[in-house]
Amino acid sequence: MLREVSDHFKVLTLVHKSIDTMVEGLSQEQWLHRPNGTFNNIASIIDHTSRVEKKFMSAISGQALDIDTQAPFKQNHWDVPAIQQAWAETLPYSRDVLERLTESDLEKPGLSLRVGDLNRRQLIVYTVGHTTHHRGQIPLVMKLFQG
């Protein structure tokens, strides 16, 4: 893996591990609890984060997948075991994509997002930032269901 890419992947790995630690041992009820009946639950946050990371990494690989990243926030029912499985598969998928990159790949187009057109190098950084952002939501939701 390229040094620059390896550094970003190490940060992504740390973020994933911190999320895993936070949700370890939570019951299905806790995964599904929606504070105030309207806030996002942990299931929707993790599902969304997994989908976004896979979508972004697929674009970085050059084979962009069409993934509805907003679906978890529109649902009223979540399959917690399926979400947990998808989350567990996300980091290995990201590693596989990033290991294959060459220096010239980093300059190729990544995705056009609300922030603008990002090349693959920028999309790697944006992916880490996005996952980190949603990592920060989990303790807030947990505080609300713990009272």
Side-chain angles (χ1 to χ4, degrees), residues 78-99:
W78 298 268
D79 182 347
V80 173
I83 292 167
Q84 291 168 327
Q85 181 64 37
W87 174 248
E89 294 169 357
T90 302
L91 192 62
Y93 175 74
S94 295
R95 180 180 53 244
D96 184 55
V97 167
L98 297 176
E99 283 177 341

Side-chain angles (χ1 to χ4, degrees), residues 62-79:
Q63 299 176 347
L65 298 172
D66 184 22
I67 298 172
D68 183 357
T69 61
Q70 297 304 306
F73 300 133
K74 300 173 190 170
Q75 295 175 192
N76 291 317
H77 175 74
W78 298 268
D79 182 347

Side-chain angles (χ1 to χ4, degrees), residues 34-41:
R34 292 182 74 180
N36 296 334
T38 59
F39 290 175
N40 295 329
N41 57 25

Side-chain angles (χ1 to χ4, degrees), residues 14-108:
L14 292 171
V15 174
H16 270 254
K17 286 181 180 180
S18 70
I19 291 171
D20 292 342
T21 299
M22 283 189 279
V23 300
E24 184 178 9
L26 293 181
S27 68
Q28 181 160 322
E29 180 180 279
Q30 290 169 316
W31 273 76
L32 296 173
H33 179 75
R34 292 182 74 180
N36 296 334
T38 59
F39 290 175
N40 295 329
N41 57 25
I42 291 173
S44 64
I45 293 167
I46 298 290
D47 190 8
H48 167 75
T49 304
S50 296
R51 289 169 185 247
V52 169
E53 194 168 317
K54 187 161 187 178
K55 179 175 184 158
F56 288 1
M57 287 295 164
S58 71
I60 291 165
S61 77
Q63 299 176 347
L65 298 172
D66 184 22
I67 298 172
D68 183 357
T69 61
Q70 297 304 306
F73 300 133
K74 300 173 190 170
Q75 295 175 192
N76 291 317
H77 175 74
W78 298 268
D79 182 347
V80 173
I83 292 167
Q84 291 168 327
Q85 181 64 37
W87 174 248
E89 294 169 357
T90 302
L91 192 62
Y93 175 74
S94 295
R95 180 180 53 244
D96 184 55
V97 167
L98 297 176
E99 283 177 341
R100 298 171 192 266
L101 293 175
T102 65
E103 188 69 37
S104 64
D105 288 334
L106 297 176
E107 298 303 320
K108 293 178 181 175

